[in-house]
Every structure is written in structure tokens, then in C-alpha cells.
Coordinates of all heavy atoms in Angstrom, one line a residue:
M241 N 59.9 13.6 8.0 CA 60.1 13.2 9.4 C 60.6 14.4 10.2 O 60.2 14.5 11.4 CB 61.1 12.1 9.4 CG 60.7 10.8 8.8 SD 59.1 10.1 9.4 CE 59.5 10.0 11.2
D242 N 61.5 15.2 9.7 CA 62.0 16.4 10.5 C 60.8 17.3 10.9 O 60.8 17.8 12.0 CB 63.0 17.2 9.6 CG 64.3 16.4 9.4 OD1 64.6 15.4 10.1 OD2 65.0 16.7 8.4
E243 N 59.9 17.5 10.0 CA 58.8 18.4 10.3 C 57.9 17.8 11.4 O 57.5 18.6 12.3 CB 57.9 18.6 9.0 CG 57.2 19.9 8.9 CD 56.6 20.0 7.5 OE1 57.3 20.3 6.6 OE2 55.4 19.9 7.5
L244 N 57.7 16.5 11.3 CA 56.9 15.9 12.4 C 57.6 15.9 13.7 O 57.0 16.1 14.8 CB 56.6 14.4 12.0 CG 55.4 14.2 11.1 CD1 55.3 12.7 10.7 CD2 54.1 14.7 11.7
L245 N 58.9 15.7 13.7 CA 59.7 15.7 14.9 C 59.6 17.1 15.6 O 59.5 17.2 16.8 CB 61.2 15.4 14.6 CG 62.1 15.5 15.8 CD1 61.8 14.4 16.8 CD2 63.6 15.3 15.3
E246 N 59.6 18.1 14.8 CA 59.5 19.5 15.4 C 58.2 19.7 16.1 O 58.1 20.6 17.0 CB 59.8 20.5 14.3 CG 61.2 20.6 13.8 CD 62.2 20.9 15.0 OE1 61.9 21.8 15.8 OE2 63.2 20.2 15.1
K247 N 57.2 19.0 15.7 CA 55.8 19.2 16.2 C 55.5 18.4 17.4 O 54.5 18.5 18.0 CB 54.8 18.9 15.1 CG 54.8 19.9 14.0 CD 53.8 19.5 12.9 CE 53.8 20.5 11.8 NZ 52.9 20.1 10.7
V248 N 56.5 17.5 17.8 CA 56.2 16.6 19.0 C 56.3 17.5 20.3 O 57.3 18.1 20.6 CB 57.2 15.5 19.0 CG1 57.1 14.7 20.3 CG2 57.1 14.6 17.8
N249 N 55.1 17.5 21.0 CA 55.1 18.2 22.2 C 54.1 17.6 23.2 O 53.8 18.2 24.2 CB 54.7 19.7 22.0 CG 53.4 19.8 21.3 OD1 52.6 18.9 21.2 ND2 53.0 21.0 20.9
S250 N 53.6 16.4 22.9 CA 52.6 15.7 23.7 C 52.6 14.2 23.5 O 53.2 13.8 22.5 CB 51.2 16.3 23.4 OG 50.8 15.9 22.1
K251 N 51.9 13.5 24.3 CA 51.8 12.1 24.1 C 51.2 11.8 22.7 O 51.7 10.9 22.0 CB 50.9 11.5 25.2 CG 50.7 10.0 25.0 CD 49.8 9.5 26.2 CE 49.5 8.0 26.1 NZ 48.7 7.5 27.2
E252 N 50.2 12.5 22.3 CA 49.5 12.3 21.0 C 50.4 12.6 19.9 O 50.5 11.7 18.9 CB 48.3 13.3 20.9 CG 47.5 13.1 19.6 CD 46.4 14.1 19.5 OE1 45.5 14.0 20.4 OE2 46.3 14.8 18.6
T253 N 51.2 13.7 19.9 CA 52.1 14.0 18.7 C 53.3 13.0 18.8 O 53.8 12.7 17.7 CB 52.5 15.4 18.8 OG1 53.1 15.8 20.0 CG2 51.4 16.4 18.5
F254 N 53.7 12.5 19.9 CA 54.8 11.6 20.0 C 54.3 10.3 19.3 O 55.1 9.8 18.4 CB 55.1 11.2 21.5 CG 56.1 10.1 21.6 CD1 57.4 10.2 21.3 CD2 55.6 8.8 22.0 CE1 58.3 9.1 21.4 CE2 56.5 7.8 22.2 CZ 57.8 7.9 21.9
F255 N 53.1 9.8 19.5 CA 52.7 8.6 18.9 C 52.4 8.8 17.4 O 52.5 7.9 16.6 CB 51.6 7.9 19.6 CG 52.1 7.2 20.9 CD1 51.8 7.7 22.1 CD2 52.8 6.1 20.8 CE1 52.3 7.1 23.3 CE2 53.3 5.4 21.9 CZ 53.1 5.9 23.1
Q256 N 52.0 10.0 17.0 CA 51.9 10.3 15.6 C 53.3 10.2 14.9 O 53.4 9.6 13.8 CB 51.3 11.7 15.3 CG 49.9 11.8 15.7 CD 49.4 13.3 15.7 OE1 50.2 14.2 15.5 NE2 48.1 13.4 15.8
F257 N 54.3 10.7 15.6 CA 55.7 10.6 15.1 C 56.1 9.1 15.0 O 56.7 8.7 14.0 CB 56.6 11.4 16.0 CG 58.1 11.3 15.5 CD1 58.5 12.0 14.5 CD2 58.9 10.4 16.1 CE1 59.8 11.9 14.0 CE2 60.2 10.2 15.7 CZ 60.7 11.0 14.6
V258 N 55.9 8.3 16.1 CA 56.2 6.9 16.1 C 55.6 6.2 14.9 O 56.2 5.4 14.2 CB 55.9 6.2 17.4 CG1 56.1 4.7 17.4 CG2 56.7 6.8 18.5
K259 N 54.3 6.5 14.7 CA 53.6 5.8 13.6 C 54.2 6.2 12.2 O 54.5 5.3 11.4 CB 52.1 6.2 13.6 CG 51.3 5.6 12.5 CD 49.9 6.0 12.5 CE 49.1 5.3 11.4 NZ 47.7 5.7 11.4
A260 N 54.6 7.4 12.0 CA 55.2 7.9 10.8 C 56.6 7.3 10.6 O 56.9 6.9 9.5 CB 55.3 9.4 10.8
L261 N 57.3 7.2 11.7 CA 58.7 6.5 11.6 C 58.5 5.1 11.2 O 59.3 4.6 10.3 CB 59.4 6.7 13.0 CG 60.8 6.3 13.0 CD1 61.7 7.1 12.1 CD2 61.3 6.4 14.5
K262 N 57.6 4.4 11.8 CA 57.3 3.0 11.4 C 56.9 2.9 10.0 O 57.5 2.0 9.2 CB 56.2 2.4 12.3 CG 55.8 1.0 12.0 CD 54.6 0.6 12.8 CE 53.4 1.2 12.2 NZ 52.1 0.8 12.8
E263 N 56.0 3.7 9.5 CA 55.6 3.7 8.1 C 56.8 4.0 7.2 O 56.8 3.5 6.1 CB 54.4 4.6 7.9 CG 53.2 4.2 8.6 CD 52.0 5.2 8.6 OE1 52.2 6.3 8.2 OE2 50.9 4.8 9.0
D264 N 57.7 4.9 7.6 CA 58.8 5.2 6.8 C 59.7 4.0 6.6 O 60.2 3.7 5.5 CB 59.6 6.3 7.4 CG 60.8 6.8 6.6 OD1 60.6 7.2 5.5 OD2 61.9 6.8 7.1
K265 N 59.9 3.2 7.7 CA 60.7 2.0 7.6 C 60.0 0.9 6.7 O 60.7 0.3 5.9 CB 61.0 1.5 9.0 CG 61.8 0.2 9.0 CD 63.2 0.4 8.4 CE 64.0 -0.9 8.5 NZ 64.8 -1.1 7.3
I266 N 58.7 0.8 6.9 CA 58.0 -0.2 6.1 C 58.1 0.2 4.6 O 58.3 -0.7 3.7 CB 56.5 -0.3 6.5 CG1 56.4 -0.9 7.9 CG2 55.6 -1.0 5.5 CD1 55.0 -0.8 8.5
D267 N 58.0 1.5 4.3 CA 58.1 2.0 2.9 C 59.5 1.7 2.4 O 59.6 1.2 1.2 CB 57.8 3.5 2.9 CG 57.9 4.1 1.5 OD1 57.2 3.7 0.6 OD2 58.8 4.9 1.3
E268 N 60.5 1.9 3.2 CA 61.8 1.6 2.7 C 62.0 0.1 2.4 O 62.6 -0.3 1.4 CB 62.9 2.1 3.7 CG 64.3 1.8 3.2 CD 65.4 2.3 4.1 OE1 65.8 3.5 3.9 OE2 65.9 1.5 5.0
D269 N 61.5 -0.7 3.3 CA 61.7 -2.1 3.1 C 61.0 -2.6 1.9 O 61.5 -3.4 1.1 CB 61.1 -2.9 4.3 CG 61.9 -2.8 5.6 OD1 63.1 -2.3 5.5 OD2 61.4 -3.1 6.7
E270 N 59.8 -2.0 1.5 CA 59.1 -2.4 0.3 C 59.9 -1.9 -0.9 O 60.1 -2.7 -1.9 CB 57.7 -1.8 0.3 CG 56.8 -2.5 1.3 CD 56.6 -4.0 1.0 OE1 56.4 -4.3 -0.2 OE2 56.7 -4.8 1.9
K271 N 60.4 -0.7 -0.9 CA 61.2 -0.2 -2.0 C 62.5 -1.0 -2.2 O 62.9 -1.2 -3.3 CB 61.6 1.3 -1.8 CG 60.4 2.2 -1.9 CD 60.8 3.6 -1.5 CE 59.6 4.6 -1.6 NZ 60.0 5.9 -1.0
E272 N 63.1 -1.5 -1.1 CA 64.4 -2.2 -1.2 C 64.1 -3.6 -1.8 O 65.1 -4.2 -2.4 CB 65.0 -2.4 0.2 CG 65.5 -1.1 0.8 CD 66.8 -0.6 0.1 OE1 67.5 -1.3 -0.5 OE2 67.0 0.7 0.1
K273 N 62.9 -4.1 -1.8 CA 62.6 -5.4 -2.4 C 62.7 -5.3 -3.9 O 63.1 -6.3 -4.5 CB 61.2 -5.9 -2.0 CG 61.1 -6.3 -0.6 CD 59.7 -6.7 -0.3 CE 59.5 -7.1 1.2 NZ 58.1 -7.4 1.5
T274 N 62.4 -4.2 -4.5 CA 62.4 -4.0 -5.9 C 63.7 -3.4 -6.5 O 64.1 -3.6 -7.6 CB 61.2 -3.2 -6.4 OG1 61.2 -2.0 -5.8 CG2 59.9 -4.0 -6.1
S275 N 64.3 -2.5 -5.7 CA 65.5 -1.8 -6.1 C 66.4 -1.7 -4.9 O 66.4 -0.6 -4.2 CB 65.1 -0.5 -6.7 OG 66.3 0.2 -7.2
S276 N 67.3 -2.6 -4.7 CA 68.2 -2.6 -3.5 C 69.2 -1.5 -3.6 O 69.9 -1.3 -4.6 CB 68.8 -4.0 -3.4 OG 69.4 -4.2 -2.2
S277 N 69.4 -0.9 -2.4 CA 70.5 0.1 -2.3 C 71.8 -0.5 -2.0 O 71.9 -1.7 -1.7 CB 70.2 1.0 -1.0 OG 69.0 1.7 -1.2
S278 N 72.8 0.2 -2.1 CA 74.2 -0.3 -1.8 C 74.2 -0.8 -0.3 O 73.7 -0.1 0.6 CB 75.2 0.8 -1.9 OG 76.4 0.5 -1.4
P279 N 74.9 -1.9 -0.1 CA 75.0 -2.4 1.3 C 75.9 -1.6 2.2 O 76.0 -1.8 3.4 CB 75.5 -3.8 1.1 CG 76.2 -3.8 -0.2 CD 75.5 -2.8 -1.1
Y280 N 76.6 -0.6 1.6 CA 77.6 0.2 2.3 C 77.1 1.6 2.6 O 77.8 2.4 3.1 CB 78.9 0.3 1.5 CG 79.4 -1.0 1.1 CD1 79.3 -1.5 -0.2 CD2 80.0 -1.9 2.1 CE1 79.8 -2.8 -0.5 CE2 80.4 -3.1 1.8 CZ 80.4 -3.6 0.5 OH 80.8 -4.8 0.1
G281 N 75.8 1.8 2.4 CA 75.2 3.1 2.7 C 73.8 3.0 3.2 O 73.3 1.9 3.4
P282 N 73.1 4.1 3.4 CA 71.8 4.0 3.9 C 70.8 3.5 2.8 O 71.1 3.5 1.7 CB 71.4 5.5 4.2 CG 72.3 6.3 3.3 CD 73.6 5.5 3.2
G283 N 69.7 3.1 3.3 CA 68.6 2.6 2.4 C 68.0 3.8 1.7 O 68.4 5.0 1.9
V284 N 67.1 3.5 0.8 CA 66.4 4.5 0.0 C 65.8 5.7 0.8 O 65.8 6.8 0.4 CB 65.5 3.9 -1.0 CG1 64.3 3.3 -0.3 CG2 65.1 4.8 -2.1
N285 N 65.3 5.4 2.0 CA 64.7 6.4 2.8 C 65.6 6.9 3.9 O 65.2 7.7 4.8 CB 63.4 5.9 3.5 CG 62.2 5.7 2.5 OD1 62.4 5.9 1.3 ND2 61.1 5.3 3.1
G286 N 66.9 6.5 3.8 CA 67.9 7.1 4.7 C 68.1 6.2 6.0 O 68.9 6.6 6.9
W287 N 67.5 5.0 6.1 CA 67.8 4.2 7.2 C 69.1 3.6 7.2 O 69.5 2.8 6.3 CB 66.7 3.1 7.3 CG 65.4 3.6 7.8 CD1 64.4 4.2 7.0 CD2 64.9 3.5 9.1 NE1 63.4 4.5 7.8 CE2 63.6 4.1 9.1 CE3 65.3 3.0 10.3 CZ2 62.8 4.2 10.2 CZ3 64.6 3.1 11.4 CH2 63.3 3.7 11.4
E288 N 69.9 3.9 8.2 CA 71.3 3.3 8.3 C 71.2 2.0 9.2 O 72.0 1.1 9.0 CB 72.2 4.2 9.1 CG 72.5 5.5 8.4 CD 73.7 5.3 7.4 OE1 74.3 4.3 7.3 OE2 74.0 6.3 6.7
N289 N 70.2 1.9 10.0 CA 70.1 0.8 11.0 C 68.8 0.0 10.7 O 67.8 0.4 11.2 CB 70.1 1.4 12.4 CG 71.4 2.2 12.6 OD1 72.5 1.7 12.5 ND2 71.2 3.5 12.9
G290 N 69.0 -1.1 10.0 CA 67.8 -1.8 9.6 C 67.4 -3.0 10.4 O 66.3 -3.6 10.2
T291 N 68.2 -3.3 11.5 CA 67.7 -4.4 12.4 C 67.4 -3.7 13.7 O 67.9 -2.6 14.0 CB 68.8 -5.4 12.6 OG1 69.9 -4.9 13.3 CG2 69.2 -6.0 11.2
I292 N 66.6 -4.4 14.5 CA 66.3 -3.9 15.8 C 67.5 -3.7 16.7 O 67.6 -2.7 17.4 CB 65.2 -4.8 16.6 CG1 64.7 -4.0 17.8 CG2 65.7 -6.1 16.9 CD1 63.9 -2.8 17.5
S293 N 68.5 -4.6 16.6 CA 69.7 -4.5 17.5 C 70.5 -3.2 17.0 O 71.0 -2.5 17.9 CB 70.5 -5.7 17.4 OG 70.9 -6.0 16.1
T294 N 70.7 -3.0 15.7 CA 71.5 -1.8 15.3 C 70.7 -0.6 15.6 O 71.3 0.5 15.9 CB 71.9 -1.9 13.8 OG1 70.7 -2.0 13.0 CG2 72.9 -3.1 13.6
F295 N 69.4 -0.6 15.5 CA 68.5 0.5 15.8 C 68.7 0.9 17.2 O 68.9 2.1 17.6 CB 67.1 0.2 15.4 CG 66.1 1.3 15.8 CD1 65.8 2.3 14.9 CD2 65.4 1.2 17.0 CE1 64.9 3.3 15.3 CE2 64.5 2.2 17.4 CZ 64.3 3.3 16.5
L296 N 68.6 -0.1 18.1 CA 68.7 0.2 19.6 C 70.1 0.6 19.9 O 70.3 1.4 20.8 CB 68.2 -1.0 20.4 CG 66.7 -1.3 20.3 CD1 66.4 -2.6 21.0 CD2 65.9 -0.2 20.8
D297 N 71.1 0.1 19.3 CA 72.5 0.5 19.5 C 72.6 2.0 19.2 O 73.2 2.8 19.9 CB 73.5 -0.2 18.6 CG 73.8 -1.6 19.1 OD1 73.5 -1.9 20.3 OD2 74.3 -2.4 18.4
A298 N 72.0 2.4 18.1 CA 72.1 3.8 17.7 C 71.3 4.7 18.7 O 71.7 5.8 19.0 CB 71.5 4.0 16.3
V299 N 70.1 4.3 19.2 CA 69.4 5.0 20.2 C 70.2 5.2 21.4 O 70.3 6.3 22.0 CB 68.0 4.3 20.5 CG1 67.4 4.9 21.7 CG2 67.1 4.3 19.3
E300 N 70.8 4.1 21.9 CA 71.7 4.2 23.1 C 72.9 5.1 22.8 O 73.1 6.0 23.7 CB 72.2 2.8 23.4 CG 73.1 2.7 24.6 CD 73.7 1.3 24.8 OE1 73.7 0.5 23.9 OE2 74.1 1.1 26.0
A301 N 73.6 5.0 21.7 CA 74.7 5.8 21.5 C 74.4 7.3 21.4 O 75.0 8.2 21.9 CB 75.4 5.4 20.2
Y302 N 73.3 7.6 20.7 CA 72.8 9.0 20.5 C 72.5 9.5 21.9 O 72.8 10.7 22.2 CB 71.7 9.1 19.6 CG 71.3 10.5 19.3 CD1 72.0 11.2 18.3 CD2 70.2 11.1 19.9 CE1 71.7 12.6 18.0 CE2 69.9 12.5 19.6 CZ 70.6 13.2 18.7 OH 70.3 14.5 18.5
G303 N 71.7 8.8 22.7 CA 71.3 9.2 24.0 C 72.5 9.5 24.9 O 72.5 10.5 25.6
E304 N 73.6 8.7 24.8 CA 74.8 9.0 25.6 C 75.6 10.1 25.0 O 76.3 10.8 25.8 CB 75.6 7.7 25.6 CG 75.0 6.6 26.4 CD 75.7 5.3 26.4 OE1 76.7 5.1 25.6 OE2 75.4 4.4 27.2
D305 N 75.6 10.3 23.7 CA 76.5 11.3 23.1 C 75.9 12.7 22.9 O 76.6 13.6 22.8 CB 76.9 10.8 21.6 CG 77.7 9.6 21.6 OD1 78.3 9.2 22.7 OD2 77.9 8.9 20.6
S306 N 74.6 12.8 22.9 CA 74.0 14.0 22.6 C 73.7 14.9 23.8 O 73.2 14.5 24.8 CB 72.6 13.7 21.9 OG 71.9 14.9 21.7
D307 N 74.0 16.2 23.6 CA 73.6 17.2 24.6 C 72.2 17.6 24.5 O 71.7 18.4 25.3 CB 74.5 18.4 24.5 CG 76.0 18.1 24.9 OD1 76.2 17.2 25.7 OD2 76.9 18.8 24.4
L308 N 71.5 17.2 23.4 CA 70.1 17.6 23.2 C 69.1 16.9 24.1 O 68.0 17.3 24.3 CB 69.7 17.3 21.7 CG 70.5 18.1 20.7 CD1 70.1 17.6 19.3 CD2 70.3 19.6 20.8
I309 N 69.6 15.8 24.7 CA 68.7 15.0 25.6 C 68.9 15.6 27.0 O 70.0 15.5 27.6 CB 69.0 13.5 25.6 CG1 68.9 13.0 24.1 CG2 68.1 12.8 26.5 CD1 67.6 13.1 23.5
K310 N 67.9 16.1 27.5 CA 67.9 16.8 28.8 C 67.8 15.8 30.0 O 67.4 14.7 29.8 CB 66.8 17.8 28.9 CG 66.7 18.8 27.8 CD 67.8 19.8 27.7 CE 67.6 20.8 26.6 NZ 68.6 21.0 25.7
E311 N 68.2 16.3 31.2 CA 68.1 15.5 32.4 C 66.6 15.2 32.6 O 66.3 14.1 33.1 CB 68.7 16.2 33.6 CG 70.2 16.2 33.5 CD 70.8 14.8 33.6 OE1 70.3 13.9 34.3 OE2 71.8 14.5 32.8
E312 N 65.7 16.1 32.3 CA 64.3 15.9 32.5 C 63.7 15.8 31.1 O 63.3 16.8 30.5 CB 63.7 17.1 33.3 CG 64.2 17.2 34.7 CD 63.6 18.4 35.4 OE1 62.4 18.7 35.1 OE2 64.2 18.9 36.3
P313 N 63.6 14.6 30.6 CA 63.2 14.4 29.2 C 61.7 14.8 29.0 O 60.9 14.9 30.0 CB 63.4 12.9 29.0 CG 63.3 12.3 30.3 CD 63.9 13.3 31.3
N314 N 61.4 15.1 27.8 CA 60.0 15.4 27.4 C 59.6 14.5 26.2 O 60.5 13.8 25.7 CB 59.8 16.9 27.1 CG 60.8 17.4 26.1 OD1 61.1 16.7 25.1 ND2 61.3 18.6 26.3
W315 N 58.4 14.7 25.7 CA 58.0 13.8 24.6 C 58.9 14.0 23.3 O 59.2 13.1 22.6 CB 56.5 14.2 24.2 CG 55.6 13.7 25.2 CD1 54.9 14.5 26.1 CD2 55.3 12.3 25.6 NE1 54.1 13.6 26.9 CE2 54.3 12.4 26.6 CE3 55.7 11.1 25.0 CZ2 53.8 11.2 27.2 CZ3 55.1 9.9 25.6 CH2 54.2 10.0 26.6
K316 N 59.3 15.2 23.1 CA 60.2 15.5 22.0 C 61.5 14.8 22.1 O 62.1 14.3 21.1 CB 60.4 17.0 21.7 CG 61.1 17.3 20.4 CD 61.1 18.8 20.2 CE 61.7 19.1 18.8 NZ 61.6 20.5 18.5
S317 N 62.1 14.8 23.3 CA 63.4 14.1 23.4 C 63.2 12.6 23.2 O 64.1 11.9 22.7 CB 64.0 14.4 24.8 OG 63.3 14.0 25.9
F318 N 62.1 12.0 23.6 CA 61.9 10.6 23.3 C 61.8 10.4 21.8 O 62.4 9.4 21.3 CB 60.6 10.1 24.0 CG 60.6 10.0 25.5 CD1 59.6 10.6 26.3 CD2 61.7 9.5 26.2 CE1 59.6 10.5 27.6 CE2 61.8 9.4 27.6 CZ 60.7 10.0 28.3
A319 N 61.1 11.2 21.2 CA 61.0 11.1 19.7 C 62.3 11.3 19.0 O 62.7 10.6 18.1 CB 60.0 12.2 19.2
L320 N 63.1 12.2 19.5 CA 64.5 12.4 19.0 C 65.3 11.2 19.1 O 66.1 10.8 18.2 CB 65.1 13.6 19.6 CG 66.5 14.0 19.2 CD1 66.5 14.4 17.7 CD2 67.0 15.3 19.9
L321 N 65.2 10.5 20.3 CA 66.0 9.3 20.4 C 65.6 8.2 19.4 O 66.5 7.6 18.8 CB 65.8 8.7 21.8 CG 66.6 9.3 23.0 CD1 66.1 8.8 24.3 CD2 68.0 9.0 22.8
L322 N 64.3 8.0 19.2 CA 63.8 7.1 18.2 C 64.3 7.5 16.8 O 64.7 6.6 16.0 CB 62.3 6.9 18.3 CG 61.8 6.3 19.5 CD1 60.3 6.2 19.5 CD2 62.4 4.9 19.8
Y323 N 64.2 8.7 16.5 CA 64.6 9.2 15.2 C 66.1 8.9 14.9 O 66.5 8.5 13.9 CB 64.2 10.7 15.0 CG 64.4 11.2 13.6 CD1 63.9 10.5 12.5 CD2 65.0 12.5 13.4 CE1 64.1 11.1 11.3 CE2 65.1 13.0 12.2 CZ 64.7 12.3 11.1 OH 64.8 12.8 9.8
A324 N 66.9 9.2 16.0 CA 68.3 8.9 15.9 C 68.6 7.5 15.6 O 69.6 7.2 14.9 CB 69.0 9.4 17.1
G325 N 67.7 6.6 16.0 CA 67.9 5.2 15.7 C 67.9 4.9 14.2 O 68.4 3.9 13.8
K326 N 67.3 5.8 13.5 CA 67.2 5.6 12.0 C 68.6 5.8 11.4 O 68.9 5.1 10.5 CB 66.2 6.6 11.4 CG 66.1 6.6 9.9 CD 65.1 7.6 9.4 CE 65.1 7.6 7.9 NZ 64.0 8.4 7.4
F327 N 69.3 6.8 11.8 CA 70.5 7.2 11.1 C 71.8 7.3 11.9 O 72.9 7.3 11.3 CB 70.3 8.6 10.5 CG 70.0 9.7 11.6 CD1 71.1 10.3 12.2 CD2 68.7 10.0 11.9 CE1 70.9 11.3 13.1 CE2 68.5 11.0 12.9 CZ 69.6 11.6 13.5
Y328 N 71.7 7.3 13.2 CA 73.0 7.5 14.0 C 73.8 6.3 14.0 O 73.3 5.2 14.1 CB 72.6 7.9 15.4 CG 73.7 8.5 16.2 CD1 74.1 9.8 16.0 CD2 74.4 7.8 17.2 CE1 75.2 10.4 16.7 CE2 75.4 8.4 18.0 CZ 75.8 9.7 17.7 OH 76.8 10.3 18.4
E329 N 75.1 6.4 13.9 CA 76.0 5.2 13.9 C 77.0 5.3 15.0 O 77.4 6.2 15.4 CB 76.8 5.2 12.6 CG 75.9 5.0 11.4 CD 76.6 4.9 10.1 OE1 77.3 3.8 9.9 OE2 76.6 5.8 9.3

């Protein structure tokens, strides 16, 4: 995911990243069905926020807390916000 994030620079690469992020979550959900991770830590693929509400809370918190998000956002900053929804607490 980090490698794809670094390549985001256009609408096309942004949506490639979104697709990969979605597939990463689907993959984790499938893996968790057969071998569940600890409820006190991230899932097998590193997802800390498994519900839409916790994901969006993390996106909001990261956007407010991070100096990486510029006043004039670009495709990469949008991708970074979504990626932060995976792990930011």
C-alpha cells in the first residue's frame, strides 16, 4: 500500500489506490474468518478501524492532526486521508 500511495498523482492513480485499499480490507476480512486476530490490536493486514464509523473517525482525526494535508489538497493528500483511516487512532 505504501508503494501505491507514493505513486498517487492523478485521478487515475487515486482510484487505483482506492481499489487496492478496498481489496486489502476485503482480504483481511476473509483471513479473519479463518484465523481471528486479537481484538486488542490490528487485523492481519494492519487494519485498526474495521467499521465505517471508526474508519471515518480516523480520517477526520488524521486530517485535523496532520501537517501533511495542505491547504490546497491534491490527489495524493486525498489518498493519504483514506489510508490513514486504516490505521490512525
Side-chain angles (χ1 to χ4, degrees):
M241 294 301 307
D242 293 336
E243 211 172 284
L244 279 176
L245 178 62
E246 288 304 313
K247 293 178 181 178
V248 174
N249 61 8
S250 66
K251 179 179 176 180
E252 181 180 305
T253 55
F254 171 75
F255 283 108
Q256 288 171 354
F257 177 80
V258 170
K259 181 179 180 181
L261 189 62
K262 175 186 75 174
E263 290 171 353
D264 184 57
K265 179 62 175 142
I266 291 169
D267 179 63
E268 180 176 274
D269 289 346
E270 289 300 313
K271 289 174 181 172
E272 292 289 333
K273 287 178 185 176
T274 58
S275 181
S276 195
S277 297
S278 167
Y280 305 107
V284 68
N285 288 3
W287 284 81
E288 294 275 356
N289 303 301
T291 67
I292 191 67
S293 60
T294 58
F295 176 86
L296 292 173
D297 282 344
V299 169
E300 178 184 21
Y302 187 81
E304 291 174 349
D305 295 346
S306 176
D307 290 336
L308 297 174
I309 305 301
K310 309 290 187 234
E311 288 297 319
E312 295 181 30
N314 57 37
W315 290 110
K316 189 172 185 176
S317 60
F318 292 134
L320 182 58
L321 278 171
L322 293 179
Y323 189 45
K326 175 179 177 175
F327 62 84
Y328 197 73
E329 296 183 72

